[in-house]
Amino acid sequence: MPEQEYFTVHHKMTVNVEPLESSVVLPSFDRFENEIPAPFLVASEFSHLDLLNDSARSELKNNDFKHVIELLDTQNAKLNLLLTFMLSQQDNEAYRHQTLSFGASLFSYLADEALGVGTKVRIKLFLDHPAAAIYSYGHVIESEQHEEQHKITVKYDLLRDLDEDLLIKAALYQQQKMLRQRSLNRDK
């Protein structure tokens, strides 16, 4: 599989980064997929179902099914609340950080303690839009002093294609949001 580089966007989101012992060998891709916690798999499926929901909404809107759309939106909101609760159970405060930037190939965050370059880590990323969570493995590619903290950059080693797509969508969404805001600021 050829390595691809993706652009990164500056955005804060919650990430759990669990450093692993140097003796730890990353699992095979099949074992990795089998160890992904169920809430992460469900979150992934939900975000893909949201795409279908968006298509159905636009078709219904064209046929003026206002009440059906409201019902779908209500049901979707209930499912997203349940999903958010399930995912919050996976967030470990001991490993919690906020990203500085993220993309589909790497992310960076600030930490009180440095991690050595090459350190393997288990990652849980909690996306806002699309509402999802991603479980993966990676390694530290950069660790530098940043004021009182350390800026750590992690590159993904094990990441499902489905989750890579979610990261691309999340990055594009944040970039569009930033561009819209810039345009609004210029118009003022």
Side-chain angles (χ1 to χ4, degrees), residues 4 7 13 19 24 59 72 85 88-89 94 97 164-165 179:
Q4 294 188 33
F7 70 93
M13 69 176 152
V24 170
E59 283 181 27
L72 285 173
F85 172 74
S88 71
Q89 306 301 304
H97 302 281
E164 185 177 70
D165 291 347
L179 292 172

Side-chain angles (χ1 to χ4, degrees), residues 7-185:
F7 70 93
T8 59
V9 291
H10 295 280
H11 179 69
K12 286 187 177 195
M13 69 176 152
T14 302
V15 61
N16 285 186
V17 180
E18 179 185 349
L20 303 173
E21 295 293 324
S22 59
S23 61
V24 170
V25 176
L26 295 182
S28 67
F29 195 78
D30 289 338
R31 285 193 55 212
F32 160 69
E33 283 189 308
N34 288 331
E35 80 176 40
I36 297 174
F40 289 84
L41 297 172
V42 170
S44 225
E45 288 302 315
F46 269 38
S47 62
H48 287 293
L49 290 174
D50 277 345
L51 293 175
L52 294 174
N53 187 29
D54 291 344
S55 298
R57 285 183 84 245
S58 65
E59 283 181 27
L60 289 172
K61 208 177 255 184
N62 293 336
N63 293 316
D64 198 27
F65 288 102
K66 184 176 130 190
H67 297 293
V68 175
I69 292 171
E70 287 175 13
L71 176 65
L72 285 173
D73 287 343
T74 303
Q75 294 304 317
N76 195 38
K78 286 179 186 178
L79 290 172
N80 281 332
L81 277 173
L82 181 60
L83 179 62
T84 301
F85 172 74
M86 284 174 33
L87 290 173
S88 71
Q89 306 301 304
Q90 297 294 316
D91 183 12
N92 186 334
E93 192 174 341
Y95 302 120
R96 184 183 304 143
H97 302 281
Q98 294 294 311
T99 60
L100 294 171
S101 62
F102 78 96
S105 55
L106 52 82
F107 68 93
S108 65
Y109 67 99
L110 291 178
D112 293 331
E113 295 180 28
L115 287 179
V117 171
T119 301
K120 296 174 206 155
V121 293
R122 181 178 292 120
I123 305 156
K124 295 176 183 175
L125 271 164
F126 300 93
L127 305 178
D128 301 324
H129 189 90
I134 294 170
Y135 181 90
S136 68
Y137 284 94
H139 69 280
V140 175
I141 60 169
E142 189 175 16
S143 184
E144 59 187 34
Q145 188 74 34
H146 185 79
E147 297 172 8
E148 300 288 315
Q149 294 182 301
H150 301 274
K151 179 183 174 191
I152 299 171
T153 304
V154 175
K155 185 168 181 56
Y156 306 110
D157 291 324
L158 289 172
L159 179 67
R160 297 183 315 154
D161 288 343
L162 198 65
D163 292 332
E164 185 177 70
D165 291 347
L166 286 175
L167 285 166
I168 292 168
K169 285 177 187 141
L172 287 172
Y173 174 81
Q174 292 306 326
Q175 185 182 44
Q176 287 173 339
K177 193 170 151 182
M178 206 168 43
L179 292 172
R180 263 187 254 118
Q181 188 59 50
R182 222 182 261 165
S183 177
L184 288 172
N185 290 344

